[in-house]
Amino acid sequence: MINVNDMNKSFGDLHVLKDINMNITKGEVVVIIGPSGSGKSTLLRCLNLLEVPCDGKITFQGIDITDEKNDINKLRQDMGMVFQQFNLFPHKNVLENITLAPMKLKKINKEKAVKIAMDLLKQVGLEDKHFTYPNQLSGGQKQRIAIARALAMSPDVMLFDEPTSALDPEMVGEVLQVMKQLASDGMTMAIVTHEMGFAKEVADRVVFMDEGSIVEVAEPKKIFSNPENPRTKNFLGKVLSVS
Amino acid sequence: MDFNFLNDYFMFFIHGAKITLLLSIFTIFLGVLMGIVLALLRLSNNVVLKSISAAYIEFIRGTPLLVQLYIVYYGLPLIGIEFPDIDALGSSFPDLMSGVVALSLNSGAYVSEIIRAGIQAVEKGQMEASRSLGLTYGMSMYYIILPQAFKNILPALGNEFITIIKESAIVSIIGIHDLMYNTDIVRGNTYKPFEPLIIAAIMYFIMTFTLSRLIGFVEGRLKVSD
């Protein structure tokens, strides 16, 4: 579904992504892990062109998204994204947050958009919050709304950029639960996270990144119990010994 | 102090105030429109558009309004822009338009700086979230960024609107029959150089105070989502 070929990305002199090759197939959950500053988030943000790669090629459902002839706005409608900082629209209530894009982009009428939104709110367990403004919600609730907002466009793939990193510990579970459900419903997902337990349980494949390169890709069982690369071993040794 | 002249001249002040208000409303409207365009140009990635906007703003901020007013007043006819000579509340329409154009050109520069600061104060993640849903840059600006920016900048914008009402007094110099001009006429006719100024000050204050209360009210209404 998504193919990345020889992608590089630099910010000025800083070479943050080096010769990235990666593919995500339909229905697959790919979890990207690695130390801070390893380029995980940048990689994810390149997938929907929030960051523009310097060279290389990214195809989404066979279409080259880096080709300026292709309408990235149209392509983004099929790629949902969830951010670390939620980024809900504070001047709109929950329902308006969710219905805005479907109504404006898919020209769905309000009645139908609200119905879709209410179904999604039910799915994330927040159907009673539809008229609430984001600032009155907890972090976990905000992130679940953000997931519902992305799902409202019925995307083919969901990108999660450290969705639980800004949450208080007791709220991490409720968000992971929603994501787990999504994964078991067959959604294609790419997730940057520090939640190793979640990665172990939900991922089909785990990608380990360090210093801008993909160091190792393996099934979770393999990478967590018997990593091949010494850098993977070192990193996992540090994070797993804590938890 | 003797305010007996009001018996004869009160309506003179009212007519002047009407012109001042008319002038201010048009200026506020056009100034905001221009301010939005200039701010968007200033924030665009196109170096040429950016520089044009920046240069314009610097020029307007760096020259006196009086000079700008004269340039517009004598310059518009020179470049072939003439307005039909119809009656506008007892004032000459071409003169009035010169006033509106000059004040708007001036105010637009200040408003654009206010709007630019407001847009930049909106979190970067808002634009990213909006774009990630597939909304275009323009739609994101319209539905997501500008409404939030507007809320941030309302107090500063209110100050600018009040400044417009006050500064509009300068157009009396090109013969627009605004509050200031009519006040001067009353001063001349009655040989009272002082008292009419008190009346003018009170009337300006009523206009600006009403406006500032109005903006305070709108600010309160926009606080719902906080």
Side-chain angles (χ1 to χ4, degrees), chain A residues 46-207:
Chain A
C46 281
L47 298 183
N48 68 351
L49 237 55
L50 282 185
E51 303 289 353
V52 182
C54 300
D55 61 45
K57 195 167 139 178
I58 304 171
T59 58
F60 172 56
Q61 297 180 326
I63 301 165
D64 182 1
I65 68 167
T66 51
D67 186 344
E68 282 177 17
K69 284 198 287 281
N70 294 321
D71 182 6
I72 186 62
N73 297 312
K74 192 88 191 127
L75 291 165
R76 279 186 184 136
Q77 294 184 20
D78 297 327
M79 310 169 106
M81 187 158 194
V82 175
F83 300 84
Q84 183 177 354
Q85 298 297 338
F86 328 126
N87 298 339
L88 292 179
F89 307 134
H91 61 304
K92 297 190 174 296
N93 68 29
V94 164
L95 212 49
E96 291 164 342
N97 261 278
I98 300 175
T99 55
L100 176 80
M103 282 168 64
K104 299 299 172 197
L105 297 172
K106 292 191 164 175
K107 308 289 174 204
I108 292 175
N109 67 37
K110 187 168 179 191
E111 206 178 324
K112 203 170 159 209
V114 168
K115 197 187 165 304
I116 294 171
M118 289 309 289
D119 285 347
L120 286 166
L121 283 175
K122 203 168 191 177
Q123 190 181 328
V124 300
L126 291 168
E127 65 263 57
D128 55 332
K129 298 288 185 194
H130 53 292
F131 287 138
T132 310
Y133 280 89
N135 291 349
Q136 294 159 326
L137 297 168
S138 73
Q141 292 172 331
K142 281 184 199 172
Q143 197 59 298
R144 285 187 279 158
I145 300 293
I147 294 172
R149 177 177 69 181
L151 289 174
M153 290 297 288
S154 35
D156 297 317
V157 57
M158 286 282 286
L159 311 173
F160 291 85
D161 187 6
E162 303 200 26
T164 57
S165 297
L167 295 176
D168 292 337
E170 75 268 26
M171 293 170 181
V172 172
E174 63 192 63
V175 172
L176 293 183
Q177 191 54 46
V178 168
M179 291 168 65
K180 220 178 277 180
Q181 185 58 45
L182 208 53
S184 66
D185 291 345
M187 175 60 79
T188 312
M189 296 160 81
I191 306 166
V192 171
T193 187
H194 293 292
E195 298 292 332
M196 296 304 151
F198 175 79
K200 213 183 274 183
E201 189 180 343
V202 177
D204 295 309
R205 270 189 306 153
V206 176
V207 174

Side-chain angles (χ1 to χ4, degrees), chain B residues 28 32 111 114-115 117-119 121 146-162 211-223:
Chain B
I28 286 171
V32 167
V111 170
I114 295 172
I115 292 176
I119 289 174
L146 287 179
Q148 293 183 58
F150 180 70
K151 202 162 97 177
N152 296 342
I153 64 179
L154 202 58
L157 215 49
N159 274 343
E160 173 61 19
F161 294 166
I162 286 167
L211 182 61
S212 95
R213 299 313 306 159
L214 209 68
I215 288 162
F217 174 74
V218 176
E219 261 177 68
R221 289 292 298 273
L222 286 177
K223 282 224 159 72

Side-chain angles (χ1 to χ4, degrees), chain B residues 153-210:
Chain B
I153 64 179
L154 202 58
L157 215 49
N159 274 343
E160 173 61 19
F161 294 166
I162 286 167
T163 303
I164 289 173
I165 293 182
K166 294 186 297 178
E167 298 278 281
S168 74
I170 206 167
V171 301
S172 60
I173 219 144
I174 56 169
I176 297 175
H177 295 197
D178 75 328
L179 179 54
M180 192 63 221
Y181 184 92
N182 282 7
T183 303
D184 277 337
I185 291 197
V186 177
R187 292 168 74 210
N189 284 6
T190 59
Y191 301 107
K192 287 181 188 303
F194 183 69
E195 287 89 337
L197 291 173
I198 301 290
I199 304 298
I202 290 172
M203 296 195 74
Y204 274 115
F205 182 76
I206 290 173
M207 288 191 262
T208 55
F209 188 69
T210 310

Side-chain angles (χ1 to χ4, degrees), chain A residues 214-229:
Chain A
I214 292 180
V215 175
E216 189 167 349
V217 182
E219 285 175 16
K221 214 182 282 175
K222 166 99 176 46
I223 206 163
F224 285 113
S225 57
N226 189 19
E228 268 172 24
N229 194 293

Side-chain angles (χ1 to χ4, degrees), chain B:
Chain B
M1 279 204 273
D2 175 11
F3 288 98
N4 278 334
F5 63 89
L6 279 179
N7 292 331
D8 294 326
Y9 288 105
F10 183 66
M11 285 317 284
F12 231 69
F13 287 100
I14 295 293
H15 287 313
K18 274 190 202 161
I19 293 287
T20 291
L21 270 182
L22 191 73
L23 203 62
S24 303
I25 289 168
F26 274 108
T27 301
I28 286 171
F29 180 72
L30 293 174
V32 167
L33 224 58
M34 233 185 112
I36 292 174
V37 174
L38 283 170
L40 291 179
L41 293 183
R42 187 84 192 260
L43 291 171
S44 78
N45 289 325
N46 186 315
V47 182
V48 178
L49 296 178
K50 218 177 185 150
S51 323
I52 290 175
S53 171
Y56 177 82
I57 292 163
E58 288 302 330
F59 174 77
I60 293 291
R61 288 202 301 193
T63 53
L65 175 55
L66 181 58
V67 174
Q68 294 163 15
L69 179 67
Y70 276 148
I71 289 178
V72 169
Y73 184 63
Y74 293 108
L76 284 187
L78 278 183
I79 56 170
I81 298 176
E82 292 193 38
F83 296 99
D85 201 354
I86 51 174
D87 182 74
L89 292 177
S91 213
S92 135
F93 184 68
D95 287 358
L96 195 63
M97 285 317 287
S98 293
V100 168
V101 170
L103 288 174
S104 306
L105 289 177
N106 180 273
S107 178
Y110 289 96
V111 170
S112 84
E113 285 295 273
I114 295 172
I115 292 176
R116 179 171 70 107
I119 289 174
Q120 285 175 331
V122 176
E123 273 176 61
K124 211 170 140 256
Q126 292 290 310
M127 178 57 97
E128 290 184 349
S130 177
R131 297 304 303 273
S132 81
L133 288 165
L135 275 78
T136 62
Y137 177 82
M139 291 169 98
S140 304
M141 270 290 168
Y142 184 77
Y143 292 114
I144 306 300
I145 307 299
L146 287 179
Q148 293 183 58
F150 180 70
K151 202 162 97 177
N152 296 342
I153 64 179
L154 202 58
L157 215 49
N159 274 343
E160 173 61 19
F161 294 166
I162 286 167
T163 303
I164 289 173
I165 293 182
K166 294 186 297 178
E167 298 278 281
S168 74
I170 206 167
V171 301
S172 60
I173 219 144
I174 56 169
I176 297 175
H177 295 197
D178 75 328
L179 179 54
M180 192 63 221
Y181 184 92
N182 282 7
T183 303
D184 277 337
I185 291 197
V186 177
R187 292 168 74 210
N189 284 6
T190 59
Y191 301 107
K192 287 181 188 303
F194 183 69
E195 287 89 337
L197 291 173
I198 301 290
I199 304 298
I202 290 172
M203 296 195 74
Y204 274 115
F205 182 76
I206 290 173
M207 288 191 262
T208 55
F209 188 69
T210 310
L211 182 61
S212 95
R213 299 313 306 159
L214 209 68
I215 288 162
F217 174 74
V218 176
E219 261 177 68
R221 289 292 298 273
L222 286 177
K223 282 224 159 72
V224 255
S225 58
D226 286 345

